[in-house]
Amino acid sequence: MGSIGKPIDRVDGHLKVTGHATYAAEFTVPDLVHAVLVQSTIAAGRITGFDLAEAKSMPGVLLIITPDNALRLTQAKGVQQAVKAPLLQDRDILFNGQHVAVVVADTLDRALAAAARVRVRYQRDEAVTDMDAMLDQAYVPKSFRNGARPADSRRGDPEAAHDAAFAKLDVTYITPIEHHNPMEPHATIARWQGDKLTVWTSTQGISGAQTTLAGHFGLDPSQVRVICPFVGGGFGCKGNTWPPVTLAAMAAKMTGRPVKLVLTRAQMFTSNGYRPRTVQKLRASAETDGSLQSLRHDGFSLMSQPNLGEFCEPVALSTEFLYACPNVAVSHRLVATNMPLPTYMRAPGEASGMFALESAIDELAAQVRMDPLAFRMRNYAENDAHEGKPYASKALMACYTQGAQAFGWKARGAAPRSMREGNVLIGWGMATATYPTNRQKATVRVRIAADGSVLVQSGTQDLGTGTYTVMSQVAADTLGIPVSRVRFELGDSALPHAPVSGGSSTVPSVAPAVAAACEAAAGKLRDLARSDPHLGWGDLDASALQVREGAVIGPDRRIAIAALLARRGQSFVDATSESGPGDEKKRFSLHAFGSHFVEVRVDADLGEIRVARYVGAFDVGQPLNAKTLRSQLIGGITYGIGMALLEETHVDGETGRIVNANIAEYVVPVHADIPAIETIVVENAESRSNPLGVKGAGELPMVGVAAAIANAVYHATGMRVRKLPIRIEDVLGSA
Ligand code: MOS
């Protein structure tokens, strides 16, 4: 009766469509009051004073927190963000939109009205916002990938190889600031009961929120409980515990009332990170036979002022291993500006970096007059040359061939502008996708009740991706019962610990732990059965007994779990298991892969670019649920189409203010922008990256989309656009 891989409906789908799924801001907490953030209107300088008299006199106002009266916070171990400016700890201003005050009132409207009357006086310094002009002041990240590796790497001699090669490329690609824009804004309700803090908050990591809050308020993590059963989208901006969570808790402590703090859509642009702008220099070369000779990828990534923290978009990591190339060098640098701290956004590094690499590969293929797919196959890497290891599994060749077949790639006209239909220039482009298969330690508790129903608990998160559903499937299949007999609980720091839902790691981390805990609980039932004198199974090996269909099944007969437990006077058995990385990372290079094939149609007179047709083929190891997986794949491709053609955060150079901090002018794809998307999941049951052979699929599908579209635009128009998003102006005049 196995459910794994089947397209079963979301187990929480009914709750969601009927409005019964409770999101952070929707919890009913008695005596609740409301907090509103006041933000700086300058990007650099210092607060010289506040005029609060008018705001304080407004009806319903309970408290106004400024750096002058804010609680002093500690910065203990586990605090993810620097405590400095955005937590009202001093009067320095490091970016426009920085929180400078919190107004608390008895209703939201009254808090908003009073917040509008907080007057702040500033001494204004000149703001630095133009990263492109400051590349010569770029610096090496202090802690690239949290110190896990150096920011630079090198093998062979890329410079000499480049000089000697037949075909050469030396160009710069640019990606803009982008914002995650999940449907659900950040929201927190904070309540203190004595020295115990409970927060309901929208987060990708309840345990990170727990340790961060404990750190800020000098508590033991056991004094902080974080609850988050549903997340209305995260995409990375809810991966860290951002200042508003702490400010809500501070306001609750200072007022002695539970406080709700919900970010406005505009505040979502300055309060929880963004994908930083990147400038990427690519030098690449190939021989006449299409063999890659050298790759040099130097990435510059926009940063805030360094004392806010550090984030570096790791753009060049795929360049190290994706192709068979003897001479490769990469580097990562930061450019400090007066912008907020950037952060992870769906496929951080890969999404922006593979735009550059996969565009460059297309450019080299054109130079040596090879089909772009044939060029990639010519340089296919059977092993990871950077890590010097085999892949745990790599079905990229199948992604190429099955994607190309479904798309009809072989009918592609070789030359740009060769597929014109009247006034419409048709272009076909393709690109590769890759994303690491990350796995972290996760703990799961399973309780099998007498009626055969199963409760599975883990402090993981469901970002809308399907965690509830796929984990229920893993438990159901492990115990041989229908999914409807399983209840999966998550989103509460009181549950067994699970990692942050980031880096596409929830499935590879938590699913094996679910299976292990179910096995352990089933083992306890087998032990009960073997030690039960009525059954006469005492001499049997444990493996001779199976637990499924609500019973323990032996060679001669079965006994219902209810009967077995009743005889022991037990109402349930339970087990807790931890599962985490083994030595697979030492032995293998761990990645998921994919291919994108896209048709664009460009109006030769108007420059309008439409994505007309899309095929994506992916190697995600063992799929857990065909329906939630397809949702991830089409969601990722849609996110990538937005990156290619629409999304860009605009910053006013003078004030450092984000001028399109709304989802009317920060343009994301709508239904009319997205064609039917065909997704193929290639068979690859052999992943050696974890016991279930599963790979995450949340980020992979958006990697390479922007390059595939840029490559298709080149094929349609003959114009190579190296800056995202690709706009009408970039291809106008291509008629
Ligand atoms: Mo993802 S950007 O690791 O939430």
Side-chain angles (χ1 to χ4, degrees), residues 204 235-236 344-348 435 501-504 699:
Q204 293 173 230
F235 309 113
Y344 335 96
M345 178 164 155
R346 199 170 193 170
Y435 193 78
S501 288
S504 300
E699 302 179 80

